[in-house]
Amino acid sequence: MTANPMLRPILRFDAATCAAMGLLLAIGADAIARITALPVPLLREAGLLLLPFAAFVLWAAGRSGWPAQAVVAANIAWIAGSVALIASPWSGNAFGIAFLGAQAAVVMLLAVLEWRHLARVPATA
């Protein structure tokens, strides 16, 4: 179990937002693509990727050490990928850029909160 009482609810919230965004992207990729001009396969595949990740984050919420660290690392990778996508020709229109930027900002906030509270947890196996 995690020693820091704040890390668990933050990870659970992260899991819930991943699952919600995953479902939204997987089911609503066509509608989101019409608004954002982002590629449908990109949206749908990102949504499908988020669903098992949400399960992992939920599992990690009951542990300390490497599982929570892996969540932070994956969130940082997601942010980097989002920024790279914004800089690419596939960033869509202004709504697409705003969509990518907004979700990257939320993931960044979660990663910072998780890291801050993870740093206060003694490392265990």
Side-chain angles (χ1 to χ4, degrees):
M1 296 297 203
T2 55
N4 186 317
M6 285 304 299
L7 184 58
R8 177 181 280 166
I10 294 167
L11 287 168
R12 285 183 178 163
F13 182 75
D14 192 351
T17 59
C18 283
M21 182 62 93
L23 287 172
L24 176 70
L25 291 173
I27 295 169
D30 293 320
I32 295 168
R34 280 193 296 277
I35 296 167
T36 62
L38 291 165
V40 171
L42 173 76
L43 294 168
R44 186 163 290 125
E45 290 171 20
L48 293 174
L49 177 72
L50 284 172
L51 297 174
F53 181 67
F56 175 77
V57 176
L58 187 59
W59 175 80
R63 284 138 188 87
S64 60
W66 77 265
Q69 293 168 351
V71 171
V72 173
N75 281 342
I76 292 168
W78 185 273
I79 296 161
S82 297
V83 170
L85 188 55
I86 289 170
S88 79
W90 303 285
S91 61
N93 57 25
F95 292 117
I97 293 168
F99 178 78
L100 292 169
Q103 61 81 33
V106 170
V107 174
M108 183 183 299
L109 175 63
L110 288 168
V112 167
L113 289 171
E114 290 161 354
W115 181 255
R116 287 187 62 193
H117 290 288
L118 184 63
R120 298 179 188 157
V121 177
T124 59

